[in-house]
Amino acid sequence: MEEKRKVIFSGIQPSGQLTLGNYLGAIKNWVKLQEEYDCYFCVVDLHAITVRQEPKDLRARTLEVMSIYIAAGIVPEKNTIFIQSHVPAHSEAAWLLNCYTYMGELSRMTQFKDKSQRYGDSVSAGLLDYPVLMAADILLYQTDLVPVGVDQKQHLELARDIAQRFNNTYSETFVIPEGYIAQNGAKIMSLQDPTKKMSKSDDNPNSYILIMDPPEVIRKKVSRAVTDSIGVVKYSDEQPGVKNLMTILSTITGQTTEQIEEKYEGQGYAQFKKDVAEAIVAELEPIQKKVKELVADKAYLESIYKAGAEKANYVANKTLRKMQKKIGFIPVSK
Ligand code: TYM
């Protein structure tokens, strides 16, 4: 008998344009993992509305994110690519799991604390509840492994705690998921303030590289990236800007940081920065070309998200029914 493959679930919010951080921290790893696992790659539009979205932009970005998955090398025939709002079980499971999650746990989440500072009292309840929806995403598919960047680690740990609590309250219901955080590229930093993570919601566009940034823009942003006056290409915490650019170069090309240090010994930063920019351009340009073709082919994208929704609904509903039964809800059919 064929052994059941382990399950991977991951997702990205269509809440802005995707950055090089999303690509190197998440998507590039998914592409590597797809051969070995039964993968669900979701466009998490329900998560995106925790902050206000323009409806037409949300629609366009949802399809763009899906196109980026495919253009980066996720093969639709081998994986389940779907849109979160097409599977109502996510919203329902999130409600159920809410009742097994503590306010204390949610208000301690660093991402919530950061974001709520920005919005004050008008921070939406959705933003607080966001990690519970993420737990629902993961647990509905009996996920073994969740490949994400470092910033999602705390949310993932909460998902594990919620799953364990539910299992302990009733009986074995969920697989307890593990995080998969790559050694390299799991935390790409801002190009303007390398002590902060590169983020699509940063106010300064020079701080991030977008997956869809034209080559000229990429070159400009890298050349303006903040470094230091030491002038030595060295992988060191004392040189966070240089360290970040080395991480980017190493994640893309596969060179080790030692090899990079050797290559640029005694050379300063000019050639190094040029090479970083060219490596990024070489990686992203073919993806951009494919994304442009894909977003123009609405019928093809529809065929993928329809098939994805069908498969995802089937699997998610199975777990949802299991949850409902354990909680004590009366099933409507036999
Ligand atoms: P999101 O949309 O903020 O980011 C998507 C993925 O990109 C990673 N990432 C980074 N990695 C390295 N360096 C960076 N600067 C960087 N910025 C972002 C994130 O860690 C993430 O892996 N809550 C999630 C989406 C989500 C999800 C899920 C993920 C919803 N449900 C279930 C996994 C499983 C989020 O907001 O990611």
Side-chain angles (χ1 to χ4, degrees), residues 6 97 100-102 105-106 109 131-140 142-148 152-169 172-181:
K6 291 204 167 193
L97 294 177
Y100 302 83
T101 308
Y102 305 136
E105 290 174 315
L106 294 179
M109 293 289 120
V132 182
L133 178 60
M134 178 162 162
D137 297 343
I138 296 167
L139 301 178
L140 280 172
Q142 305 294 355
T143 300
D144 296 287
L145 210 61
V146 186
V148 282
Q152 296 300 318
K153 201 167 164 226
Q154 201 185 25
H155 293 157
L156 190 68
E157 272 155 20
L158 179 65
R160 287 167 57 90
D161 290 344
I162 298 172
Q164 244 138 13
R165 190 170 301 143
F166 195 97
N167 284 356
N168 291 341
T169 307
E172 213 58 26
T173 310
F174 300 121
V175 168
I176 309 296
E178 301 276 344
Y180 176 98
I181 293 170

Side-chain angles (χ1 to χ4, degrees), residues 94 122 131 147 235 277 282-283:
S122 43
Y235 195 73
E283 180 85 3

Side-chain angles (χ1 to χ4, degrees), residues 37-270:
Y37 294 85
D38 183 11
C39 298
Y40 294 84
F41 296 121
C42 185
V43 183
V44 292
D45 55 350
L46 297 172
H47 276 102
I49 63 160
T50 49
V51 281
R52 201 64 69 234
Q53 303 291 331
E54 190 62 49
K56 87 174 173 351
D57 294 345
L58 181 61
R59 271 190 291 272
R61 283 206 211 98
T62 299
L63 294 179
E64 186 177 276
V65 173
M66 224 184 111
S67 304
I68 290 175
Y69 290 1
I70 300 166
I74 305 289
V75 181
E77 293 77 20
K78 287 192 191 161
N79 301 281
T80 308
I81 299 174
F82 72 104
I83 297 169
Q84 190 184 26
S85 63
H86 290 174
V87 185
H90 290 242
S91 307
E92 188 166 349
W95 168 254
L96 302 183
L97 294 177
N98 264 326
C99 302
Y100 302 83
T101 308
Y102 305 136
M103 279 297 289
E105 290 174 315
L106 294 179
S107 52
R108 272 199 299 276
M109 293 289 120
T110 42
Q111 208 168 74
F112 173 71
K113 284 200 280 194
D114 290 349
K115 290 202 175 169
S116 56
Q117 255 176 12
R118 203 193 282 197
Y119 298 103
D121 250 2
S122 43
V123 61
S124 77
L127 216 41
L128 176 74
D129 202 32
Y130 170 116
V132 182
L133 178 60
M134 178 162 162
D137 297 343
I138 296 167
L139 301 178
L140 280 172
Y141 298 88
Q142 305 294 355
T143 300
D144 296 287
L145 210 61
V146 186
V148 282
V150 170
D151 62 332
Q152 296 300 318
K153 201 167 164 226
Q154 201 185 25
H155 293 157
L156 190 68
E157 272 155 20
L158 179 65
R160 287 167 57 90
D161 290 344
I162 298 172
Q164 244 138 13
R165 190 170 301 143
F166 195 97
N167 284 356
N168 291 341
T169 307
Y170 302 102
S171 57
E172 213 58 26
T173 310
F174 300 121
V175 168
I176 309 296
E178 301 276 344
Y180 176 98
I181 293 170
Q183 289 216 321
N184 221 353
K187 192 167 187 189
I188 302 297
M189 310 308 275
S190 153
L191 298 182
Q192 291 300 313
D193 175 0
T195 60
K196 269 182 19 193
K197 145 189 117 149
M198 183 183 284
S199 164
K200 55 193 167 209
S201 52
D202 202 306
D203 294 329
N204 180 358
N206 281 324
S207 72
Y208 52 71
I209 288 172
L210 299 176
I211 295 181
M212 297 304 286
D213 267 346
E216 280 325 299
V217 174
I218 295 176
R219 291 187 183 107
K220 213 176 274 164
K221 286 181 176 176
V222 175
S223 79
R224 287 181 185 158
V226 168
T227 50
D228 52 63
S229 55
I230 299 175
V232 177
V233 176
K234 188 157 177 270
Y235 195 73
S236 146
D237 289 338
E238 263 112 73
Q239 296 173 252
V242 171
K243 185 177 171 187
N244 187 41
L245 293 176
M246 287 177 80
T247 303
I248 293 173
L249 187 59
S250 152
T251 314
I252 293 176
T253 63
Q255 292 166 274
T256 64
T257 49
E258 291 81 11
Q259 286 168 333
I260 297 171
E261 282 175 0
E262 240 170 70
K263 184 164 174 196
Y264 297 99
E265 212 183 315
Q267 284 194 38
Y269 299 145

